[in-house]
Amino acid sequence: MSVKAKYQPVLDLGLKLGIKDGDVSEENGVLKIKGMAATQYEKNILWDKIKEIGGEKPADLKANITVEDDSVYHRHTVKSGESLSKIAKHYYGDPMKYTKIFDANTNILKNPDIIHPDQVLVIPNL
């Protein structure tokens, strides 16, 4: 299996996430990936996929993934049935950090218990 084929799920994920300025090349059995993720969260997702396939420090891959907007961790579009605590658990692993999300969005939220589908929430860096 070629190294590009091995990491194809990473390349597919990059396309799905809309990674900008992407470039992929293979040299001496090492896959070189370059691109720009919209947020740190998307960069982390890519690195998680890389580690899932190649281990903690893959020797057959070099990736240079930059972040376009590092002022926020991510921007989340609310889906039906979500709550701030559910969103906080997804991004931070802790539902009690919902207050961080609420505080970062007081321009559009007046009550942490009331959010609506299609609202775009800032998920702040911690």
Side-chain angles (χ1 to χ4, degrees), residues 2-5 7 11 21-35 60-64:
S2 75
V3 70
K4 186 173 180 184
Y7 287 102
L11 303 177
D21 303 325
D23 186 51
V24 178
S25 62
E26 194 172 338
E27 187 177 309
N28 298 325
V30 176
L31 189 65
K32 295 181 179 183
I33 301 173
K34 182 183 114 177
D60 58 353
L61 181 130
K62 291 187 181 190
N64 180 9

Side-chain angles (χ1 to χ4, degrees), residues 26-84:
E26 194 172 338
E27 187 177 309
N28 298 325
V30 176
L31 189 65
K32 295 181 179 183
I33 301 173
K34 182 183 114 177
M36 183 184 301
T39 63
Q40 184 64 45
Y41 173 73
E42 291 181 358
K43 178 179 177 177
N44 291 354
I45 290 174
L46 276 172
W47 274 106
D48 289 346
K49 182 58 83 175
I50 289 168
K51 292 177 196 173
E52 178 185 312
I53 295 168
E56 198 62 34
K57 293 184 179 179
D60 58 353
L61 181 130
K62 291 187 181 190
N64 180 9
I65 310 297
T66 57
V67 175
E68 184 173 20
D69 183 0
D70 60 4
S71 69
V72 300
Y73 185 61
H74 196 56
R75 296 184 192 283
H76 177 84
T77 302
V78 176
K79 295 171 200 67
S80 180
E82 288 186 320
S83 65
L84 288 184

Side-chain angles (χ1 to χ4, degrees), residues 100-119:
K100 302 286 186 192
I101 298 171
F102 178 72
D103 292 344
N105 291 280
T106 55
N107 59 323
I108 59 171
L109 300 178
K110 302 303 173 217
N111 181 331
D113 295 325
I114 301 172
I115 60 174
H116 302 286
D118 299 323
Q119 283 180 310

Side-chain angles (χ1 to χ4, degrees), residues 9-23:
V10 174
L11 303 177
D12 293 344
L13 179 59
L15 287 174
K16 181 180 173 192
L17 293 173
I19 299 299
K20 295 179 182 173
D21 303 325
D23 186 51

